[in-house]
Amino acid sequence: VMGFKANIRLMAWSDARRALAAGRIDGLTGMFYSIERNRDYDFSVPHSTVQYSIFVRRHDDKGITSPDDLSGLEVLFQRGDIMEDWLNESGIQVTRIPVEAPVDALRRLASGENDCALLGRLPALFLLHHYNIENVVDIVDIHMAQDYCFAVVPGNDRLVQMLNEGLKTVKATGEYEKIASRWFGVL
């Protein structure tokens, strides 16, 4: 909508963060905003908000009714994700099992490994549907909604302005809803 071409490259989250920090790429299509991350990157306005949930195997909830119940459990999360930051700040004593991608956490959990996973609810539900993983469910919201934004190399104000204007345009024209419905409407 803004008239520029983007070269999208897929890479592991930890590699993508390093590439952005080193200036080898101009931006990321999505990063959760936090005050700490804002010191290292510039952010667009949020393009979505993601709620986090605790995922477990169906019929094996480990007695989890709140995040406090994670103590002593083996907890999967995406390496470098905001949930890693949350675990650091929460003080909850868990065995941490970082993985490269959310689907890795879901597959490990589905296969009987580890106790639970901390993941963005809607993206994880999409992955469960997409990969036909039927024995994993979300059971508890972590009561933490995070703004998901484009993240860019610090000082690239022009790119941030273009992204913000593009987001405003696709939302005003209804195109944003069509995109969201295409990818998440099934959920």
Side-chain angles (χ1 to χ4, degrees):
V1 75
M2 294 305 295
F4 69 90
K5 299 229 183 257
N7 178 10
I8 306 287
R9 288 188 275 159
L10 302 178
M11 58 181 73
W13 177 241
S14 54
D15 294 339
R17 282 188 68 176
R18 281 192 296 276
L20 183 61
R24 292 190 307 269
I25 58 175
D26 296 310
L28 298 174
T29 57
M31 180 185 276
F32 291 109
Y33 174 86
S34 71
I35 293 170
E36 295 79 23
R37 289 177 174 187
N38 195 43
R39 294 180 190 126
D40 298 323
Y41 312 104
D42 287 347
F43 289 89
S44 70
V45 296
H47 55 72
S48 53
T49 301
V50 176
Q51 177 66 43
Y52 272 83
S53 288
I54 300 170
F55 287 80
V56 296
R57 283 177 292 284
R58 189 180 304 275
H59 309 299
D60 187 14
D61 65 15
K62 303 290 182 196
I64 301 168
T65 59
S66 79
D68 293 331
D69 296 329
L70 298 175
S71 185
L73 298 180
E74 293 180 358
V75 178
L76 294 152
F77 58 91
Q78 184 178 12
R79 185 183 322 277
D81 184 61
I82 201 81
M83 281 292 93
E84 186 171 10
D85 299 343
W86 180 81
L87 279 171
N88 290 337
E89 295 167 9
S90 74
I92 300 171
Q93 298 299 312
V94 301
T95 300
R96 296 168 185 226
I97 314 291
V99 295
E100 287 304 313
V103 71
D104 299 333
L106 294 169
R107 285 179 173 151
R108 285 181 66 135
L109 196 57
S111 72
E113 295 180 64
N114 315 112
D115 296 313
C116 64
L118 304 178
L119 299 168
R121 184 174 186 276
L122 199 53
L125 290 174
F126 172 82
L127 292 169
L128 289 171
H129 175 78
H130 182 75
Y131 290 102
N132 200 30
I133 300 172
E134 296 180 355
N135 67 327
V136 173
V137 296
D138 70 311
I139 57 167
V140 176
D141 280 342
I142 298 179
H143 303 292
M144 181 176 150
Q146 288 292 131
D147 287 333
Y148 207 49
C149 311
F150 290 101
V152 304
V153 174
N156 195 340
D157 297 337
R158 182 172 181 268
L159 181 55
V160 171
Q161 290 170 351
M162 290 176 71
L163 292 167
N164 287 342
E165 187 175 333
L167 282 169
K168 185 177 179 179
T169 301
V170 296
K171 286 182 178 185
T173 63
E175 189 65 23
Y176 179 88
E177 287 302 319
K178 289 179 188 173
I179 294 168
S181 178
R182 176 179 176 213
W183 290 102
F184 298 116
V186 68
L187 303 175

